[in-house]
Amino acid sequence: MKASPLLLATLALGTLPALQAANDPAALVARGEYLVKRVGLCSDCHAPRNERGEFIPAQWLQGAALPFAPTVPMPAWANAAPGIAGLPTMTNDQAVTFLQTGVRPDGSRPRPPMPEFRLDEADARAVVAYLKSLQP
């Protein structure tokens, strides 16, 4: 079966941001910022909010109490999300593995409501580059 030029162009354009980011540190951080803010929505749990529900910029991704709870008892539920700015508890490689497998360096899995992400390596490296660029 022969691939159509349109299909090949679509595939190439879809991988272009990841390829650009891999060769340019600033592009890698920018891609990671996009993934954290617009795809993973990490701030929903990991960033504190003020009394009006607005994020507190000076505490961006510094950890926060969760503003929601399960409607039924869930013993493993986490009541707070840790700070992820600077990734203070993981090396780059550990964080990439965590984002690809959903397994922490100690072999444990995140507690609900944290999803067990399965990012590809390029996206995981971009997310780690962005988070490491932030002050813990």
Side-chain angles (χ1 to χ4, degrees):
M1 174 182 208
K2 189 173 179 183
S4 74
L6 180 60
L7 174 62
L8 293 175
T10 302
L11 291 173
L13 289 175
T15 59
L16 189 57
L19 291 174
Q20 288 174 328
N23 296 321
D24 177 8
L28 187 66
V29 170
R31 173 114 178 112
E33 181 177 12
Y34 165 77
L35 292 167
V36 166
K37 290 181 175 180
R38 303 286 183 219
V39 178
L41 303 172
C42 303
S43 59
D44 284 356
C45 295
H46 293 276
R49 296 172 186 256
N50 63 23
E51 60 282 345
R52 294 192 321 245
E54 302 163 331
F55 292 115
I56 304 168
Q59 296 177 22
W60 182 249
L61 300 178
Q62 299 290 327
L66 294 179
F68 53 89
T71 58
V72 296
M74 188 172 283
W77 186 266
N79 293 321
I84 58 173
L87 288 175
T89 64
M90 292 185 203
T91 66
N92 287 14
D93 288 340
Q94 288 172 332
V96 167
T97 298
F98 173 68
L99 292 170
Q100 288 185 281
T101 66
V103 178
R104 290 188 186 114
D106 67 3
S108 67
R109 297 191 178 276
R111 292 170 48 196
M114 176 71 183
E116 293 181 17
F117 287 109
R118 298 293 191 277
L119 301 181
D120 67 23
E121 184 175 358
D123 286 346
R125 291 203 179 279
V127 167
V128 170
Y130 171 66
L131 293 176
K132 287 285 188 174
S133 76
L134 302 174
Q135 293 297 317

